[in-house]
């Protein structure tokens, strides 16, 4: 899967990006971008590596288990928030 490979790649690219930033504002911006990229790919990898039954899918009509629904929905919302942070 792509997300698992992108976790170390985004970490390495983030370090390079932060080192190449010239001003303190650029360092802060690159740090925020790099951390959110790493969290995005890490969260996506964990979400897609898990074995989710039908009741654990966040937006499925058969989602009736509160704990599974909460965990899956939280993960799905984290991915959406991290995607928004990149814009």
């Amino acid at each position: 899967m792509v997300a698992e490979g992108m976790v170390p790649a985004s970490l390495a690219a983030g370090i390079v990006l932060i080192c190449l930033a010239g001003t303190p504002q650029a360092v802060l911006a690159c740090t925020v971008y790099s951390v959110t990229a790493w969290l995005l790919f890490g969260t996506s990898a964990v979400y897609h590596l898990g074995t989710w039954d039908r009741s654990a899918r966040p937006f499925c009509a058969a989602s009736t288990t509160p704990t599974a629904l909460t965990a899956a929905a939280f993960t799905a919302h984290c991915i959406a928030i991290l995607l928004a942070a990149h814009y």
Side-chain angles (χ1 to χ4, degrees):
M1 169 152 282
V2 175
E4 296 108 15
M6 289 306 295
V7 173
S10 66
L11 182 60
I15 291 169
V16 171
L17 189 64
I18 292 166
C19 289
L20 294 176
T23 65
Q25 294 87 358
V27 170
L28 178 63
C30 292
T31 302
V32 169
Y33 182 83
S34 299
V35 168
T36 57
W38 182 74
L39 288 172
L40 169 70
F41 290 121
T43 304
S44 179
V46 169
Y47 183 76
H48 288 101
L49 283 176
T51 304
W52 304 95
D53 62 356
R54 188 164 177 81
S55 66
R57 293 182 185 155
F59 303 110
C60 180
S63 296
T64 55
T65 310
T67 306
L69 174 62
T70 303
F74 177 75
T75 306
H77 290 301
C78 284
I79 292 171
I81 290 168
L82 291 169
L83 281 172
H86 280 79
Y87 292 102

